[in-house]
Amino acid sequence: TQSTWESTWGYIMLTLPLKQSEKIDIYGPIKRSVEEGQGPSVASQIDGALRSLQQYRDELLNIATFRSDNVALEKLINSAKGYICIWNNVSQSFTFGKEKGSIDVRFTWYDSYTREKKVTTSPLTERLAMLYNLAIMYSQMGTNYTLSVDDKNKEAANAFLTAAGLFDKIKIESAGLRTPDFGLDFTEQNLTMCSHIMKAQVQKCVYEKVKRTNPDKFKLMAQLTIQGAISYGLAYSVASTPPMSKAADPKSFVAVLQFNEYQFMSLAYSYTAAEYEKVCNDTAEGMGKAVTNIRKAVEFLEILSVMEKSLSPSVLSVYREMVKHCKEKKAYLEDQNNKIYHETPPAKPEEIEGKAFGKIISIDADLIKPFEGQEVFARLVPPAVRMLEEEYKNEVGVLMNNAFQLAHKIDSTQDGFLGKHGLPSCLHAATGEQSLPDDLWAKIKQCKEKGGVAGIASMLGGIGGMSDGNLARIQELGEQLKKEEEEDMALRTKWGPAWSRVPSQNLNPAMKKQVEYHFSRYNMGKDVDAKMKEMFETKKEVMAMLDLEKADITAKIPKSKHAGAALSPAAQALTNLMKNLGDLKKESEGITENMMKTLENDSVTNEMFLVHQKIKDKKTAFDELKGKYLTFQQDLERIAKEREALFPQIDSAMATFKGEKEATAGDAERSAFFKNLDEACNTFGLVHSNIQQSGHFHTQLGTHINKLMTNINDYVMCRTLEKTDIEAQLNAQNLGIIGNKNPYMRPPVPPGYKEVEASAYYNPETAPRPYGGPPPYSGPSPYGGGYGVPPPYGGAPGPRYSAPPPRAPSGYQPSPYMGQYPGPPTYPPHQSQNKRSHFTSMLLILSLIHI
């Protein structure tokens, strides 16, 4: 009679220790810093977010109190998510530390193993600590569920999978950023161990569900438990080696990992034995394998006997019951085999294949949710970090410029090479078939998918609207500065020497130069747009054929004088080579498009903060971030070589095809038709690509204009407040309310002081390149003598437009916009040594922030 395989589970569910912290004031220091630097108005816009940040952190100090209450843990989990959402923005807007310009907030955390106190000013450590405790809370929730009573297996498994995902996330974010304040918790060993423990406990949840609902699925339960044993074994190997072995209590932690590993192993072989016993009952074969597996199960339990002193009384009782049960089962199977089946048990059991259930759950979306005032933080990024961002973009700009020039060079070379042979139109005309070649129809389909001629017209209209909007804002900024300066001059005339604040013409030259710079960029873009529109209008009639359906285009193909003739072997070979060349060109176009998309989505503020805080080396950070662009460039170089390698093969094929080409020379109308159709496709691709990059150019220009608009608005506001303050005091003096003749009278001039003239602020001939950008581009235009080229990322303007030499328009060419608006130059701040009013100080701070 088959005995029952139901056994008592002696498994110990592990709970991981929390990181403890101390109460700190975050709200006050940040609020004061914003009030002093950006004014009460800006501070009031983020007041709600800062209060929520403080409230969330205070609540999270009480996690330990509610560890066994899942309802309370769920609320604390939401508080942790809310804190991290806001902290992500705060940590990218301010620098923390004792240095000048930083906020002196010190975060206190205790290592969860050693209880060593760590005091840090690193916002990264604060974020990682919160993520760590968030993972612990999810782990605790999973542990709290009673799996065999309330059927919470799925909820528990999801909690463990979420915790595992968070531990993996912390490991990735902290990789290569080891600092003294990290402690043991953020070591790769601990994070790896914690992740494995979570994955093992997922297996426990699924196992319990299967055991309760499908108790006869022995093979599945064996797969689940062996996978759990593997995960616990990996965790044990980490916990039993330094540095973890020096911190973890071997009796209460490391021993438990080993106990669970071997117990999982024992269960896996027990269930495998049960599976073979079941098969034997049906087929009268397999009892020998059942005996081998049950012996292995007993072997693992006997290994654990040396740990009996480390086990609690309740666990020890369960363990002894398991040993008794397995030994009884072993005796029963051996007896059955000896008396009935007489099989020789294998020396070793077969390897059991594990089955991992569930995928790691990511909660990244919950950690980036918007909140009130979020957009304000984006404007508070420290100038030093912005400078690092611009320096990085300049270096990327060089890579982008090189990549686009490389793509253009091979495109131009290919166009010239094919034009020399009259390809591909002569090949299309050579066939006697009255049909549209597949490769040509594929190019037409691409044009249709991009919106066709109507789509191009609509995109040109959109580009015009963006350009006009940028112009309107540039003009508005110029008028603001002009109006403020005129008002200052009028007040200076009205009050005479009593009006002694710094003249506007001494403060606004840098902003004026930036307005002029943006206006010059606008004009350059406008000129290029006009040439692009002119090209479209010139070829619009020819391109209209691209909007027709395949059957309609086919009907317009002039009949061949060699009707019915199929492609010769030479023509077919040439067709295949042309297809390969076209595929490579399409791949190249895809890479350049991906480069543009990557650049648009390339947010590096967080990395630049790490560099600024000296947590990460600048060269290392730049090299890592530029790696993807270097890969793009390497792919373009590879494709360019593969395209050039096809040219000799095409030359050879054309030599064979030459006679057929001459034989069809009389089909002039047919040849012209295919030539025009191919030119239409190439022109469409060129215009569409340029429009896309033009849109990116105007978008970037608009972004820089918006930043300048914010700075000029702040400047005008501060000047207005200062003016109101001075006028009020001068009027009060005239009425005899205050005794000081002129509260804004200049102090004595220091020895050697020399007034700074407005012209000293900026010299376009000698000014340094912005943020160490590339030198001005002085070579020939990378666009083959075509369009005026806005300088790449701060370079000097390229040559103006001149009529291109007559040739068929190529397919893809890099846009004259060079991918991204380079941004304005920078200017030295005003270095006046005179003491000014409170509002003048605010003004100078804003000027420095702007620069």
Side-chain angles (χ1 to χ4, degrees):
T1 304
Q2 181 181 356
S3 64
T4 176
W5 280 94
E6 182 66 25
S7 63
T8 304
W9 182 264
Y11 168 85
I12 305 171
M13 189 75 87
L14 276 171
T15 58
L16 300 174
L18 280 161
K19 286 185 70 66
Q20 299 295 325
S21 184
E22 294 179 359
K23 184 177 176 63
I24 58 172
D25 180 15
I26 296 178
Y27 170 82
I30 298 178
K31 180 75 177 293
R32 287 191 295 273
S33 175
V34 177
E35 286 177 337
E36 293 169 3
Q38 285 75 37
S41 175
V42 176
S44 66
Q45 295 176 52
I46 61 172
D47 182 79
L50 294 179
R51 289 184 183 276
S52 296
L53 191 74
Q54 185 71 62
Q55 179 183 342
Y56 288 144
R57 200 181 195 284
D58 292 345
E59 291 173 355
L60 292 167
L61 295 176
N62 301 315
I63 299 175
T65 308
F66 302 103
R67 287 193 66 150
S68 60
D69 184 349
N70 276 6
V71 175
L73 280 175
E74 185 68 37
K75 293 179 180 178
L76 289 171
I77 283 174
N78 289 332
S79 294
K81 291 177 180 178
Y83 183 88
I84 293 169
C85 284
I86 300 174
W87 187 251
N88 289 339
N89 290 265
V90 170
S91 63
Q92 293 185 11
S93 301
F94 307 99
T95 54
F96 295 85
K98 300 178 182 179
E99 298 82 8
K100 185 177 180 181
S102 298
I103 300 174
D104 190 8
V105 175
R106 303 180 190 187
F107 310 100
T108 301
W109 288 96
Y110 293 84
D111 191 272
S112 66
Y113 295 101
T114 64
R115 300 300 174 187
E116 182 182 356
K117 184 177 181 179
K118 302 286 185 179
V119 180
T120 177
T121 57
S122 168
L124 173 65
T125 302
E126 173 77 358
R127 169 184 160 79
L128 294 179
M130 282 296 176
L131 284 172
Y132 191 88
N133 273 357
L134 182 58
I136 298 295
M137 284 191 284
Y138 272 109
S139 167
Q140 187 65 51
M141 283 187 69
T143 305
N144 289 341
Y145 289 115
T146 306
L147 304 182
S148 59
V149 177
D150 51 7
D151 196 24
K152 292 292 184 179
N153 304 71
K154 183 176 181 180
E155 288 85 346
N158 286 342
F160 290 132
L161 288 168
T162 304
L166 285 167
F167 286 126
D168 291 344
K169 178 182 180 67
I170 297 169
K171 184 166 67 173
I172 293 171
E173 290 192 7
S174 61
L177 304 177
R178 304 297 169 204
T179 61
D181 55 31
F182 270 19
L184 190 62
D185 292 328
F186 301 138
T187 59
E188 182 179 358
Q189 293 92 332
N190 178 57
L191 296 168
T192 300
M193 180 191 71
C194 292
S195 179
H196 285 314
I197 292 173
M198 295 301 102
K199 293 169 186 175
Q201 298 190 160
V202 170
Q203 298 299 115
K204 155 69 172 173
C205 297
V206 182
Y207 162 78
E208 285 286 352
K209 177 74 173 179
V210 174
K211 188 177 73 169
R212 186 170 58 250
T213 58
N214 296 282
D216 60 340
K217 289 195 175 289
F218 301 129
K219 183 177 180 180
L220 177 57
M221 287 190 283
Q223 290 175 321
L224 291 170
T225 50
I226 198 68
Q227 188 65 44
I230 291 170
S231 294
Y232 266 118
L234 293 170
Y236 171 74
S237 66
V238 174
S240 58
T241 55
M244 295 302 301
S245 60
K246 295 181 179 180
D249 183 349
K251 291 186 178 181
S252 62
F253 192 80
V254 180
V256 172
L257 291 174
Q258 189 176 32
F259 179 83
N260 285 343
E261 177 194 359
Y262 284 3
Q263 188 180 193
F264 267 93
M265 285 288 189
S266 178
L267 282 169
Y269 285 106
S270 293
Y271 282 121
T272 303
E275 179 68 19
Y276 280 122
E277 183 187 14
K278 183 172 70 171
V279 171
C280 185
N281 288 335
D282 296 334
T283 65
E285 293 181 358
M287 186 56 71
K289 292 182 178 180
V291 170
T292 299
N293 278 276
I294 195 63
R295 287 174 179 174
K296 194 69 175 178
V298 172
E299 180 184 329
F300 275 111
L301 288 177
E302 288 178 340
I303 292 174
L304 291 176
S305 62
V306 298
M307 299 176 57
E308 287 191 5
K309 294 181 180 180
S310 301
L311 302 178
S312 65
S314 59
V315 174
L316 180 60
S317 175
V318 171
Y319 163 69
R320 287 174 175 171
E321 183 64 28
M322 289 180 65
V323 173
K324 178 184 176 183
H325 173 82
C326 274
K327 285 184 176 181
E328 289 175 352
K329 190 64 184 180
K330 172 177 170 288
Y332 169 77
L333 292 179
E334 288 174 340
D335 183 65
Q336 290 289 303
N337 189 47
N338 292 334
K339 291 179 178 179
I340 302 173
Y341 300 101
H342 305 290
E343 294 182 2
T344 302
K348 293 182 180 179
E350 296 177 356
E351 184 177 346
I352 303 172
E353 183 180 354
K355 191 176 185 68
F357 268 80
K359 294 182 179 180
I360 296 299
I361 296 176
S362 170
I363 59 168
D364 286 354
D366 293 340
L367 305 180
I368 55 172
K369 288 184 176 179
F371 57 89
E372 186 176 354
Q374 181 176 7
E375 68 285 352
V376 181
F377 286 103
R379 303 199 301 264
L380 300 178
V381 176
V385 175
R386 289 294 188 205
M387 290 178 68
L388 285 169
E389 287 183 308
E390 292 299 326
E391 184 178 348
Y392 165 74
K393 289 179 180 178
N394 282 332
E395 293 191 16
V396 172
V398 174
L399 296 178
M400 295 281 286
N401 189 27
N402 292 340
F404 285 137
Q405 289 193 38
L406 175 65
H408 169 73
K409 180 181 178 181
I410 186 62
D411 280 346
S412 299
T413 302
Q414 180 175 314
D415 289 341
F417 173 78
L418 296 179
K420 177 184 71 174
H421 290 300
L423 290 169
S425 55
C426 71
L427 186 60
H428 295 152
T431 176
E433 295 181 3
Q434 197 67 17
S435 61
L436 199 61
D438 291 340
D439 60 330
L440 187 55
W441 173 241
K443 292 174 69 174
I444 294 172
K445 279 180 66 178
Q446 287 181 14
C447 298
K448 289 179 177 292
E449 290 168 359
K450 294 175 180 178
V453 178
I456 291 287
S458 176
M459 291 171 71
L460 282 171
I463 292 296
M466 294 170 67
S467 178
D468 292 343
N470 286 339
L471 175 61
R473 285 182 293 163
I474 291 170
Q475 292 174 335
E476 179 184 345
L477 294 178
E479 286 297 319
Q480 274 187 278
L481 292 175
K482 180 182 177 183
K483 182 179 178 182
E484 191 280 326
E485 185 174 334
E486 289 175 348
E487 184 181 59
D488 180 68
M489 293 177 65
L491 290 168
R492 198 168 299 282
T493 301
K494 174 182 176 181
W495 292 102
W499 194 263
S500 59
R501 72 171 181 173
V502 179
S504 294
Q505 63 182 5
N506 281 17
L507 290 172
N508 62 22
M511 287 178 280
K512 284 183 177 180
K513 289 293 181 183
Q514 286 187 316
V515 172
E516 294 170 6
Y517 180 80
H518 290 325
F519 185 64
S520 70
R521 310 303 296 168
Y522 158 80
N523 281 330
M524 189 170 292
K526 182 181 178 182
D527 290 345
V528 176
D529 289 345
K531 303 305 177 184
M532 184 170 57
K533 187 174 182 180
E534 180 183 346
M535 177 190 293
F536 171 72
E537 294 296 337
T538 303
K539 297 288 185 178
K540 184 166 65 173
E541 186 175 343
V542 177
M543 285 193 293
M545 191 180 298
L546 303 179
D547 289 336
L548 300 177
E549 294 301 321
K550 185 175 183 179
D552 297 328
I553 299 175
T554 302
K556 292 180 176 291
I557 300 175
K559 290 188 177 182
S560 173
K561 295 180 180 180
H562 309 277
L567 279 179
S568 67
Q572 187 62 58
L574 197 55
T575 299
N576 294 337
L577 288 170
M578 290 295 295
K579 181 181 183 302
N580 294 339
L581 196 61
D583 290 344
L584 288 171
K585 184 176 181 180
K586 184 178 179 181
E587 185 179 354
S588 179
E589 292 172 358
I591 291 172
T592 54
E593 289 179 8
N594 285 337
M595 285 187 76
M596 294 300 303
K597 291 177 182 178
T598 301
L599 184 61
E600 290 174 3
N601 301 318
D602 199 3
S603 176
V604 298
T605 302
N606 191 45
E607 290 291 319
M608 296 305 105
F609 255 100
L610 296 178
V611 173
H612 177 61
Q613 294 162 353
K614 302 190 185 312
I615 295 176
K616 202 164 190 177
D617 175 67
K618 184 174 83 170
K619 184 179 184 305
T620 301
F622 277 31
D623 289 345
E624 288 176 357
L625 291 168
K626 290 189 300 183
K628 48 185 174 289
Y629 297 101
L630 289 171
T631 300
F632 285 137
Q633 186 171 338
Q634 290 166 1
D635 288 342
L636 287 173
E637 291 171 353
R638 171 184 57 80
I639 293 171
K641 291 178 181 178
E642 292 177 7
R643 290 165 73 177
E644 289 178 337
L646 291 174
F647 293 172
Q649 299 179 49
I650 293 175
D651 279 332
S652 178
M654 279 300 298
T656 306
F657 179 69
K658 184 177 180 182
E660 297 174 28
K661 176 183 175 184
E662 292 173 352
T664 59
D667 287 347
E669 185 181 1
R670 183 179 172 89
S671 297
F673 175 85
F674 284 115
K675 182 178 180 180
N676 288 336
L677 199 56
D678 195 61
E679 283 187 8
C681 291
N682 290 338
T683 303
F684 182 96
L686 173 64
V687 174
H688 186 273
S689 176
N690 283 351
I691 289 177
Q692 281 187 318
Q693 296 184 48
S694 171
H696 182 74
F697 175 90
H698 290 296
T699 298
Q700 293 287 23
L701 174 57
T703 299
H704 286 283
I705 293 172
N706 287 339
K707 291 178 182 177
L708 180 58
M709 180 175 285
T710 299
N711 291 329
I712 289 178
N713 287 340
D714 289 343
Y715 165 80
V716 172
M717 178 191 72
C718 286
R719 294 289 279 181
T720 301
L721 291 172
E722 183 184 39
K723 176 202 72 174
T724 302
D725 186 37
I726 295 174
E727 281 194 306
Q729 294 191 52
L730 289 175
N731 285 327
Q733 172 203 322
N734 289 342
L735 294 173
I737 297 175
I738 57 177
N740 187 355
K741 293 287 184 182
N742 184 356
Y744 282 84
M745 184 178 294
R746 295 191 180 202
V749 177
Y753 173 75
K754 183 178 180 181
E755 184 69 45
V756 180
E757 298 297 331
S759 60
Y761 282 99
Y762 178 74
N763 184 340
E765 300 299 326
T766 60
R769 301 300 306 159
Y771 308 111
Y777 180 71
S778 58
S781 169
Y783 303 101
Y787 302 90
V789 184
Y793 300 87
R800 304 306 300 158
Y801 176 83
S802 60
R807 66 179 178 88
S810 66
Y812 172 84
Q813 290 186 30
S815 164
Y817 300 99
M818 295 308 296
Q820 176 169 334
Y821 179 70
T826 54
Y827 311 93
H830 181 62
Q831 299 294 329
S832 172
Q833 298 180 18
N834 290 338
K835 294 182 179 178
R836 303 301 181 195
S837 70
H838 170 68
F839 290 109
T840 307
S841 299
M842 289 174 61
L843 172 64
L844 294 175
I845 290 171
L846 285 166
S847 299
L848 289 170
I849 290 173
H850 162 60
I851 293 168

